[in-house]
């Protein structure tokens, strides 16, 4: 009976250990701290910020799992935040890319769609949703859909929510010729701004 139990445990644990051994990872961290005074409307105001952003990615065969832990308390710009802010799972194989979670994308050289983040400006237009792309010798196809939460640059408590759907196709009939078309649709919810009354 004990030998059967040992065999069952070995058959369960050994494949898990082999799978874990094949997982590769990368870790990146960005830490920012500042304190001093800032002149706003001619008045000196004390400013301080502590920001930390940790990015962790796990790679296993054709899959990538990633997440970002953010500690902004107090932030230089934008809202205070502590916790996992971005996360995704991605599959990439032979020209096919499928990604669920948070992502940025660019096509038509940024004229149609250019989603990016600039933490120094408190600017983030990333989508939380799904992206699929297929690259072939003769054509490229991309579709992206998701939700964007845009925080106002001056008033981070004001948040606009957008539902975005987009697609892009590009034909490559010759090395010197490309023909493409893009379609982007967005529906937004812009709440009324709060006004201060005396």
């Amino acid at each position: 009976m004990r030998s059967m139990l040992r065999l069952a445990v070995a058959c369960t644990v050994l494949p898990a250990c082999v799978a874990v051994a094949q997982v590769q990872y990368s870790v990146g961290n960005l830490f920012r701290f500042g304190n001093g005074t800032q002149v706003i409307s001619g008045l000196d105001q004390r400013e301080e910020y502590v920001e930390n952003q940790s990015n962790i990615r796990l790679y296993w065969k054709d899959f990538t799992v990633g997440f970002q832990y953010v500690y902004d308390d107090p932030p230089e710009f934008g809202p205070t935040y502590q916790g996992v802010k971005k996360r995704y799972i991605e599959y990439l194989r032979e020209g096919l890319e499928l990604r669920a979670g948070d992502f940025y994308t660019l096509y038509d050289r940024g004229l149609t769609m250019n989603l990016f983040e600039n933490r120094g400006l408190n600017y983030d237009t990333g989508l939380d949703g799904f992206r699929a792309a297929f690259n072939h010798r003769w054509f490229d196809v991309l579709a992206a859909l998701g939700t964007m939460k845009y925080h106002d640059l001056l008033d981070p408590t004001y948040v606009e929510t957008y539902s975005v759907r987009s697609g892009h196709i590009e034909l490559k009939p010759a090395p010197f010729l490309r023909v493409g078309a893009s379609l982007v649709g967005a529906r937004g919810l812009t709440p009324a701004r709060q006004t201060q009354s005396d």
Side-chain angles (χ1 to χ4, degrees), residues 9-24 60:
V9 169
C11 290
T12 305
V13 172
L14 187 61
C17 291
V18 170
V20 168
Q22 296 174 350
V23 173
Q24 297 178 351
W60 182 70

Side-chain angles (χ1 to χ4, degrees), residues 27-34 48-56 67-77 79-86 117 119-120:
V27 178
N29 196 74
L30 173 66
F31 176 77
R32 299 176 70 233
F33 169 77
E48 180 177 293
Y49 61 89
V50 179
E51 298 181 344
N52 191 77
Q53 175 182 325
S54 301
N55 293 295
I56 299 172
F67 59 91
Q68 178 186 91
Y69 179 82
V70 173
Y71 179 93
D72 289 348
D73 193 8
E76 183 179 14
F77 303 107
T80 299
Y81 192 89
Q82 296 178 26
V84 175
K85 194 168 188 179
K86 309 273 185 188
E117 177 184 24
R119 284 181 55 85

Side-chain angles (χ1 to χ4, degrees), residues 131-186:
R131 181 179 69 191
F134 185 70
N135 299 316
H136 188 268
R137 179 181 173 188
W138 302 108
F139 62 89
D140 295 333
V141 178
L142 186 144
L145 56 100
T147 303
M148 174 195 308
K149 291 194 174 182
Y150 178 76
H151 294 265
D152 187 81
L153 297 176
L154 300 176
D155 180 9
T157 61
Y158 180 79
V159 180
E160 297 177 0
T161 304
Y162 295 93
S163 176
V164 179
R165 308 287 182 262
S166 67
H168 176 73
I169 185 167
E170 187 172 279
L171 305 177
K172 304 179 280 189
F176 57 88
L177 180 62
R178 291 178 179 233
V179 179
S182 301
L183 181 64
V184 176

Side-chain angles (χ1 to χ4, degrees), residues 72-111:
D72 289 348
D73 193 8
E76 183 179 14
F77 303 107
T80 299
Y81 192 89
Q82 296 178 26
V84 175
K85 194 168 188 179
K86 309 273 185 188
R87 76 282 179 271
Y88 68 90
I89 183 168
E90 184 175 63
Y91 174 80
L92 181 61
R93 184 171 187 179
E94 298 177 0
L96 176 64
E97 177 189 339
L98 303 173
R99 181 164 172 153
D102 293 287
F103 64 89
Y104 302 95
T105 191
L106 178 144
Y107 47 87
D108 261 359
R109 292 179 173 81
L111 296 175

